Amino acid sequence: CVVVANHASYVDSMLLGALLPPRFGFAAKRELAGAPFVGAALRRLGCAYVERFDAARGVEDTQALLARVRAGESFVIFPEGTFRRAPGLLPFKLGAFVTAAEAGAPLLPLALHGTRSLLRAGAWLPERVPVEVRLLPPMRPAGTGWDAAVAARDAARRALAAELREPVLDPA
């Protein structure tokens, strides 16, 4: 399956890594591959890196992720691709949804509440705040191909937006 979660903080992946069974891998932005300590740790955990800015490389990375999901692996993907300090659900990139549609894998939307306040962008010290993780009803893309991926992305974004009660930000 492919878990798609909103991304609000540096702690999101640590929190989900602690809560989910070890069979769930993570997709992460390719920039982290070369980061000291973090890159090595993510490689050891079998992280799938995805390119966010070079479209051709992004397609290659999505194909590699698709092969792993078809082979039975499950992944957590933050389809916003990044986070920012201000509240709001950013536009979703399509990779997670193309992967789910082409693999025939279910999508599991997961809403993270409170992590933005726990560790804000640009901060290095956490705050004591309540955090909630809510798994929304599973979805299955209606077929394969671009149209199915776009429809799955839009449905997952609507479901997460309704749960999060944050502004939904449109692409600039």
Side-chain angles (χ1 to χ4, degrees), residues 4 11 47 63-64 73 130:
V4 289
V11 300
C47 180
Q63 290 301 314
E73 292 185 59

Side-chain angles (χ1 to χ4, degrees), residues 7-9 24 27 30 32-33 40 46 57 70 79 81 97 105 113 119 124 132 135 142 151 164:
H7 198 15
S9 171
F24 282 86
R30 183 158 297 284
L32 292 177
R57 182 67 188 260
R70 282 182 172 153
F97 307 98
H113 293 277
L119 187 62
W124 294 106
E132 182 180 347
L135 183 61
L164 293 170

